[in-house]
Amino acid sequence: MGEWESGGGPGRRKGAGSRRRSGWAGSAGPDGPDPESSVASDPEPDPASVARAIVLRQLTSSAKSRLQLSRKLAERNIPEDVAEDVLDRFQEVRLIDDAEFADMWVRSRSQSRKLAKGALRRELSDKGIDADTAAAALEQLSDADEEAAARLLVERKLRSGADLSDRAERDKTTRRLASMLARKGYQPAQAFRVVGEVIDARLGGEAGGYGPGHDSYGPGL
């Protein structure tokens, strides 16, 4: 039996509250190995085992690019050479596939957020997808798809109570909606054109375009 600390009350071992946790730094935490796993039970888990557990957990939650996983391993202080070896192995068995990730990302974000190719290209770049892989993934999004998504966005955001027959109100609405499309990666000329067409349709075609003094880039530009 161990030595009991005096005055500390029954059932408390001396030093029980001050023990230092053993094991390799970075093995604990929300992205570390599962408490039931052999890695967690190993008092001295090696960095490669910890890295594999982190990558598996990340991929289980959602698809990730190689760069995203590399960043996560760096956050957990996995040595760079160990991280690269583990990621290479996952890539060999196609559990990491940047081309497949890019295809999935374009499908998901273009449908759920109605993002245009410009915005999608920037997002893929931020996640470490090279230009050629991104271009191949973006091929699945046609110009017609992009146009339809822009039109749907504008129709949803066009306020029903706005007096679009008033020129000032129409110009204000046009700028607001075109800016919204620009933030989603649509080109300015396309954004203003789509907005103008949707507004004209809302007015029953009576407006007949922007009129004198307005070009295809929007009101008063």
Side-chain angles (χ1 to χ4, degrees):
M1 295 185 61
E3 182 180 356
W4 297 95
E5 184 177 357
S6 60
R12 182 178 180 182
R13 296 185 75 118
K14 184 178 180 179
S18 61
R19 290 179 188 160
R20 297 183 63 186
R21 297 176 65 182
S22 62
W24 182 75
S27 61
D31 296 310
D34 188 278
E36 302 296 328
S37 71
S38 60
V39 174
S41 63
D42 185 347
E44 294 283 347
D46 67 280
S49 297
V50 175
R52 284 192 293 271
I54 293 172
V55 172
L56 282 172
R57 181 161 296 186
Q58 287 292 307
L59 292 175
T60 298
S61 64
S62 64
K64 302 285 193 305
S65 68
R66 176 168 177 139
L67 180 61
Q68 286 178 290
L69 295 168
S70 179
R71 287 169 175 167
K72 178 60 66 173
L73 293 178
E75 289 174 6
R76 299 299 306 281
N77 298 319
I78 303 292
E80 184 177 353
D81 59 332
V82 173
E84 290 301 306
D85 286 345
V86 169
L87 293 175
D88 283 345
R89 180 54 183 158
F90 273 77
Q91 194 163 324
E92 288 173 7
V93 298
R94 300 199 65 180
L95 289 176
I96 298 175
D97 188 329
D98 277 0
E100 185 176 323
F101 169 82
D103 285 344
M104 177 278 301
W105 188 265
V106 169
R107 285 194 303 272
S108 174
R109 300 286 284 177
S110 63
Q111 293 172 10
S112 63
R113 299 291 305 280
K114 308 301 181 188
L115 297 183
K117 292 178 183 178
L120 292 167
R121 188 178 292 107
R122 288 193 296 271
E123 290 187 343
L124 291 173
S125 178
D126 290 343
K127 288 168 173 48
I129 305 301
D130 65 80
D132 289 342
T133 302
L138 289 169
E139 287 180 358
Q140 64 187 302
L141 184 61
S142 69
D143 292 342
D145 292 335
E146 194 172 80
E147 179 94 359
R151 193 174 300 278
L152 181 59
L153 275 171
V154 173
E155 290 170 348
R156 287 177 176 175
K157 297 292 184 179
L158 186 58
R159 295 167 183 165
S160 58
D163 181 11
L164 299 177
S165 61
D166 177 76
R167 192 63 173 189
E169 181 65 25
R170 175 182 173 134
D171 286 355
K172 178 182 176 181
T173 298
T174 297
R175 286 191 292 269
R176 175 177 64 83
L177 295 174
S179 295
M180 178 268 294
L181 289 181
R183 290 193 297 271
K184 290 182 175 290
Y186 294 89
Q187 294 299 311
Q190 180 187 28
F192 278 110
R193 176 178 56 77
V194 169
V195 171
E197 290 173 357
V198 172
I199 289 177
D200 283 348
R202 177 67 63 88
L203 292 171
E206 295 178 2
Y210 288 108
H214 295 77
D215 59 28
S216 61
Y217 286 90
L221 297 181

